[in-house]
Amino acid sequence: MTSETPILEARNVSRTYRMGRVDVPVLKGVDLTVAPGEFLAVLGASGSGKSTMLHLLGGLDRPDRPANGTEGVFFRGRNLSGMSSSEINTYRNLQVGFVFQFYHLLPELDVLENVLIGGMIRHGRFGFGRRKSELHDAAAELLKSLGLGHRLRHKATALSGGERQRVAIARALINHPPALLADEPTGNLDRETGMRILDAMATIREQMNQTIVMVTHDPSIAERADRIVRLTDGVLVTEALEASNT
Amino acid sequence: MYQALLTRRYLTSRVMPLLAALAVMLCTAMVLIVWSVMSGFLGMLLDSGRTLMGDAAITWPVAGIPYYEDLMDRLEARPEIAATTPTLETLGLIGLPDGSPEIWTLIGVDGPSYDRVTSYAETLWWKPIDKPLPKDRDREDLRLRLSNQYYDEGLALTEQDLETGDEKAAVVPGIWATGYNRRDIGGWTNARFRFMPDAELTISVLPISQRGAAIDVAARRFPIANEFQSGLYEVDANTALIRLDALQEMLDMNAADRVEAFDPFAVEIDEEGNETFVQPKAVGVEPARVTTVMIRAADGVTPQVARDVAEDVYEEFAAVQGMEVPDPQFVRIYTWEQRDGVRTFIAAVKKELALTVALFGFISLTAVFLVFAIFWSMVSDKIKDIGILRAMGASKPGVAWIFIRYGAAIGVVGSILGGLAAWLIVSNINPIHDWLGTAFGLTVWDPEIYYFPQIPNKVDPIAALLVMGGGVLFSVIGAIAPAIKAARMDPVRSLRFE
C-alpha cells in the first residue's frame, strides 16, 4: 500500500431505498476518492444523499449490489462488500469513527464511559480489564485535549450541545481510527459553538494527520475543508479547493 | 464488557426493569411458599406414618404368627435391624363413657418395645410441656398442670389403682377418636368436653379361630391411660392402642396349654364314689400369637433393605419352626410405605404436591410475558442506543447479549428477593396465621382438614435453588425475543429513528 492509495474510495456506488411500493434512488453511481490525511466536505441539500454516502463509507449500510468486484466502497483498496459481518464490525470499530449531528451519546453513561465504550467493544471483557487503566488515561487525555477534563464523571445529559459533540468526537477517536466521518457535526449547534467544534476537528487533523469526511448542507461550514464535493440528487459534483484552508 | 456496564446502568436508572424484577420476585416467592408448605405437609405425613408403623413389618392377619419372640430375636440379631416389636391388630366395638358406640381399629402393643420401633412415647399427648412458650401459658394448656404419671402410664399402657395398688391393662386412644377433644383457631388441642385419661371405655372384640370361625364375643372395661397423636388424622380418629397381653387374652391368642383330644362328656369316679368330668391331659403349650412384627431399621439402613432382610430372616424362621408358622410364600412383608391405604394416600398427596407446584409454576409463566413485554418496550425505547453501538462496531450477538444479560440480571435480582421473601414468610407462617385468625377470624389452614395443628414452616434449600433458578431462566426466556429484535435492527434505521 503506497501513500497514494486512497484511504476511502467509492466507485460507481448507488443506493436505492424502497418506500412502500416505490423504489427511491438516493445515490446514483457516485465516484469519490478520499486521500489519507485529507479533510473532505460533502456539501448537499437535505435529501441529497450525503448522509447515505457517509453511512456507506462507514460500513453502516451497503450499496446496491455492484455489477462487479471493482464497484462499491473501498477502504485502502479493499471492497467493503467482500467483508464478513465480523470484519465489518471490526472495520467500524477500528478504521472509522462516527460523529453525528445529534451527538448520540448513551444517556445512562457518564462522559468517560461514553468515550470508553468503543474501547470496551474493541478489547472485550478481559482485554479491557487488562488495559483498563491505560484506556482510562487515554480517554481522559483525549477529553482534556477537547476541553472536557472537568466533565469526566458528568452524565451526558448534563452537558451543553457543544460539550456533547466534543464528547462524541472523543468517542469516535478513542480507537485511533484512520478516518473520521462526521455527519453535520455542527448542524445542531449555534454558529459560534459550531465553529469551535470545527476548530477542534481542525486541530485534531493537524496534530494527528486525521482523515476527515464531513457532510454538511452549509457552504460556510464546508469551506473549512481541504476539498468540497457537492451532492445533488444523488450525483456528485467536484468543486474547487478552498485555498484558504490548505 | 460494555454489556455488563449497560446492564448495570439500565437496571439502576429505570423503573420498568425494577417492575419486572418485582414480578419475578412475586412469582418466585409464590411458588416457593406453596412448594415449601405442601412438601412440608407431605414430609410431616411421611414422618407421622413412619412414627406409627416403624420401617417395615411382617404380617399374618387373623390367625397370627406364633413363636414371634423367636422371630424377633432372629431379626434383632441382624445388624440392619435396630429393634422389633409385636403388635396385634383387630377391629373392636367401643362403648364411650356417654354410652355411644364406635368401631375402632385396636392395636395391642408392648409399650416399651413399641416405643423403640415407632417413637410412640413422642406421640403421647398428655404429658408435661418441657419448655412452655408464652403462647402455651396464655391459653392455659391443661398439660401445664399434669404430672409425669399420665406419661408413664401411657407408655406402659397400664394404670395403677390408687387404692389397691393393682396394675390394670389400659388403653390409649387416638386424640380424635373419642370426639371429646377440639382444636381452636390457633390449632391448639385441648379437652373440650371431658378429660379422657380419667375415663373408661368398654371394648368388645370377636375372637376368630385359626380356621376363621367366630368364637364368643369378649368384652371388658379398660381405663384410659393417655391419648396419642400420630399426626395422621385417619389413624388418630379411628385407632386405640391397648396393652398387648390384654388383647391377646381377649382374642384367645395368648399362650395356653395344648391338650390331647378328649371326650367332654367323659366322667370318672374317684375312690369315694364321686363323679367328675375327665380333665384333658396337657401335651404341650399353644404359643401366643401376634398379627404383626414391626421392624425399625438400623441407622443408615433404608426401609426397603430392612424389608429384604426381614424376608430372609422369615424364611430361616419358617424353616426352623416348620408347619406351625405361616408359609413364607404367603406371609406379607412390606415397608411402611407399601402398606395398604398408606401407599395410595401418600401417592395421592405426592400427586397433589406435584400438581400444585406445576399449577403455580404455570401461573408464574406470566412473569415470562411480563419480562417479554417490558423488554420489548425497552428495545423500542433503546433503538437509538442500538444504532450507536452498532456504529461503534458492536456485533449483533453483542447487542443481543445486552438484553439477555439484562433479563438474567432482572431474574437474579427478582429471584434472590423472592427467595428471601418466601423464607421470611414461610419461617413466620404460623405467627402470621395466628395473627390472621385473631385479627380477622381467618383460618386458612384448618387443622380439621390438614391433620396438623401447625403449618409446615421450613424452606427446602434444594427447592429454593430450583425455584430461583427457574425465575432466572424464565426471565432470560422472556428477554430472548426482544434481544433478537434488537440484534436484527438495521443500524442506519436505528440511528435515524425519532
Side-chain angles (χ1 to χ4, degrees):
Chain A
M1 199 67 56
T2 66
S3 59
E4 287 76 31
T5 304
I7 188 165
L8 283 167
E9 191 176 8
R11 296 182 197 158
N12 195 24
V13 168
S14 299
R15 184 70 174 102
T16 305
Y17 289 111
R18 191 164 184 82
M19 310 288 271
R21 292 180 178 178
V22 184
D23 283 337
V24 181
V26 179
L27 292 178
K28 303 167 188 168
V30 171
D31 289 299
L32 177 71
T33 302
V34 184
E38 185 181 21
F39 186 174
L40 174 72
V42 180
L43 183 66
S46 179
S48 62
K50 54 188 188 304
S51 290
T52 300
M53 184 73 235
L54 204 69
H55 291 152
L56 291 170
L57 292 175
L60 273 176
D61 199 0
R62 295 195 183 230
D64 295 344
R65 181 175 293 201
N68 54 60
T70 60
E71 294 179 356
V73 176
F74 292 77
F75 174 76
R76 287 179 174 157
R78 186 168 177 204
N79 194 333
L80 300 190
S81 297
M83 289 185 178
S84 65
S85 299
S86 163
E87 286 174 321
I88 280 286
N89 292 334
T90 306
Y91 170 74
R92 288 200 292 255
N93 185 242
L94 295 180
Q95 310 299 355
V96 292
F98 283 97
V99 177
F100 301 101
Q101 178 180 355
F102 296 103
Y103 336 119
H104 289 342
L105 300 179
L106 297 172
E108 282 84 3
L109 306 186
D110 64 31
V111 167
L112 193 62
E113 288 165 343
N114 261 290
V115 174
L116 282 170
I117 275 277
M120 293 177 187
I121 292 170
R122 176 183 181 182
H123 296 291
R125 171 180 282 270
F126 299 110
F128 182 82
R130 280 196 301 274
R131 297 176 181 83
K132 192 174 179 181
S133 161
E134 174 193 334
L135 288 166
H136 267 250
D137 291 347
E141 195 58 39
L142 199 52
L143 285 163
K144 209 178 287 178
S145 71
L146 287 162
L148 291 167
H150 61 297
R151 293 288 222 173
L152 300 185
R153 288 299 173 191
H154 288 218
K155 280 279 161 65
T157 46
L159 305 182
S160 69
E163 286 174 323
R164 288 184 201 193
Q165 196 60 296
R166 280 182 280 159
V167 174
I169 292 169
R171 181 182 66 186
L173 296 173
I174 186 68
N175 288 334
H176 310 293
L180 182 68
L181 306 178
D183 187 358
E184 301 269 17
T186 61
N188 203 39
L189 303 172
D190 60 63
R191 183 153 193 88
E192 189 185 337
T193 310
M195 284 302 157
R196 279 210 287 273
I197 290 297
L198 290 173
D199 290 343
M201 288 170 64
T203 308
I204 289 163
R205 190 222 165 186
E206 278 169 21
Q207 289 175 349
M208 303 163 71
N209 195 31
Q210 182 73 50
T211 306
I212 299 174
V213 179
M214 175 180 71
V215 302
T216 178
H217 68 281
D218 186 342
S220 66
I221 299 294
E223 280 173 6
R224 299 289 296 265
D226 300 337
R227 184 161 65 97
I228 301 170
V229 293
R230 180 182 291 276
L231 255 179
T232 308
D233 294 333
V235 179
L236 203 64
V237 182
T238 306
E239 292 196 345
L241 191 70
E242 287 295 326
S244 60
N245 294 323
T246 59
Chain B
M1 180 67 198
Y2 64 99
Q3 293 101 334
L5 177 65
L6 287 171
T7 299
R8 207 163 59 240
R9 290 301 156 82
Y10 285 172
L11 201 60
T12 51
S13 64
R14 307 179 81 83
V15 176
M16 290 295 270
L18 295 179
L19 291 178
L22 187 67
V24 175
M25 181 191 114
L26 290 175
C27 288
T28 305
M30 181 174 67
V31 175
L32 197 49
I33 290 168
V34 169
W35 191 342
S36 298
V37 172
M38 288 298 293
S39 63
F41 175 62
L42 178 64
M44 284 163 80
L45 274 180
L46 296 180
D47 286 348
S48 301
R50 203 171 178 181
T51 298
L52 263 191
M53 299 168 215
D55 291 308
I58 303 171
T59 291
W60 185 243
V62 185
I65 304 166
Y67 306 114
Y68 58 86
E69 296 94 339
D70 179 35
L71 177 59
M72 288 163 55
D73 288 344
R74 288 172 187 275
L75 285 165
E76 289 181 6
R78 298 290 292 263
E80 296 90 348
I81 307 298
T84 60
T85 187
T87 65
L88 176 56
E89 189 169 323
T90 189
L91 285 176
L93 182 66
I94 313 300
L96 294 175
D98 62 5
S100 56
E102 294 274 351
I103 294 178
W104 293 349
T105 297
L106 294 174
I107 304 176
V109 300
D110 165 54
S113 68
Y114 188 59
D115 178 47
R116 284 196 292 277
V117 172
T118 66
S119 307
Y120 160 62
E122 290 174 15
T123 70
L124 288 170
W125 183 257
W126 302 111
K127 59 191 171 190
I129 299 175
D130 292 340
K131 292 173 184 170
L133 300 171
K135 67 174 186 179
D136 297 318
R137 284 191 288 273
D138 290 347
R139 67 192 172 89
E140 296 181 349
D141 195 312
L142 271 179
R143 293 175 295 168
L144 293 169
R145 302 198 298 271
L146 291 183
S147 67
N148 266 322
Q149 181 199 343
Y150 290 104
Y151 174 76
D152 295 339
E153 290 182 348
L155 187 57
L157 291 118
T158 300
E159 192 173 275
Q160 193 170 37
D161 190 315
L162 293 175
E163 291 176 4
T164 63
D166 294 341
E167 285 191 341
K168 291 165 68 179
V171 64
V172 176
I175 194 83
W176 308 120
T178 61
Y180 294 153
N181 298 316
R182 281 286 182 273
R183 283 180 181 142
D184 54 25
I185 285 174
W188 297 312
T189 301
N190 238 329
R192 182 65 56 91
F193 304 118
R194 185 192 288 266
F195 181 55
M196 287 309 292
D198 287 343
E200 281 191 343
L201 297 175
T202 303
I203 295 180
S204 303
V205 293
L206 189 63
I208 307 283
S209 73
Q210 289 187 39
R211 291 184 178 177
I215 314 175
D216 288 341
V217 172
R220 198 169 142 185
R221 285 183 72 74
F222 285 91
I224 295 174
N226 206 319
E227 289 174 288
F228 73 88
Q229 185 185 43
S230 70
L232 276 177
Y233 184 78
E234 292 301 314
V235 172
D236 294 343
N238 298 296
T239 308
L241 303 177
I242 186 168
R243 205 171 77 187
L244 178 64
D245 57 342
L247 190 59
Q248 281 177 317
E249 196 178 320
M250 290 178 78
L251 290 171
D252 285 343
M253 292 176 81
N254 54 336
D257 288 341
R258 183 179 290 166
V259 296
E260 65 180 5
F262 70 103
D263 178 359
F265 303 108
V267 292
E268 59 183 7
I269 302 168
D270 62 15
E271 291 171 354
E272 297 172 359
N274 297 324
E275 281 188 359
T276 54
F277 285 109
V278 174
Q279 292 300 310
K281 194 177 287 178
V283 293
V285 175
E286 187 69 33
R289 292 164 183 267
V290 293
T291 53
T292 302
V293 171
M294 289 182 178
I295 297 162
R296 179 171 180 171
D299 288 345
V301 176
T302 64
Q304 186 60 43
V305 169
R307 183 222 160 273
D308 294 344
V309 168
E311 197 171 54
D312 290 347
V313 170
Y314 191 83
E315 281 183 11
E316 179 189 304
F317 165 72
V320 172
Q321 298 295 348
M323 298 293 287
E324 286 198 71
V325 300
D327 191 311
Q329 284 191 322
F330 302 117
V331 78
R332 292 170 54 205
I333 304 174
Y334 50 86
T335 66
W336 69 273
E337 281 180 294
Q338 292 162 347
R339 184 174 160 153
D340 290 344
V342 174
R343 185 179 57 224
T344 49
F345 183 61
I346 289 174
V349 174
K350 280 181 176 171
K351 278 184 183 167
E352 195 179 332
L353 167 64
L355 189 67
T356 311
V357 171
L359 275 175
F360 275 85
F362 190 71
I363 292 168
S364 298
L365 280 176
T366 50
V368 175
F369 291 100
L370 204 61
V371 170
F372 168 79
I374 289 172
F375 272 54
W376 194 266
S377 138
M378 279 191 58
V379 167
S380 304
D381 192 39
K382 287 287 166 198
I383 287 176
K384 196 146 277 178
D385 287 14
I386 293 164
I388 296 164
L389 291 169
R390 295 300 312 279
M392 286 192 291
S395 64
K396 287 181 180 181
V399 170
W401 182 233
I402 295 173
F403 292 92
I404 290 173
R405 191 190 169 97
Y406 193 15
I410 282 173
V412 168
V413 171
S415 293
I416 288 173
L417 291 176
L420 201 63
W423 178 75
L424 280 172
I425 290 171
V426 172
S427 302
N428 296 290
I429 199 160
N430 286 299
I432 292 170
H433 186 256
D434 290 351
W435 176 77
L436 285 174
T438 311
F440 305 107
L442 287 174
T443 307
V444 182
W445 183 269
D446 185 349
E448 296 286 350
I449 295 170
Y450 290 102
Y451 308 160
F452 301 107
Q454 298 290 300
I455 306 171
N457 62 349
K458 295 279 184 295
V459 176
D460 177 11
I462 303 289
L465 282 177
L466 281 174
V467 173
M468 289 162 72
V472 176
L473 183 67
F474 282 1
S475 303
V476 170
I477 290 172
I480 283 177
I484 292 172
K485 179 191 175 191
R488 295 173 73 171
M489 273 182 184
D490 176 38
V492 174
R493 287 179 184 227
S494 303
L495 287 167
R496 286 180 173 160
F497 180 79
E498 294 297 335

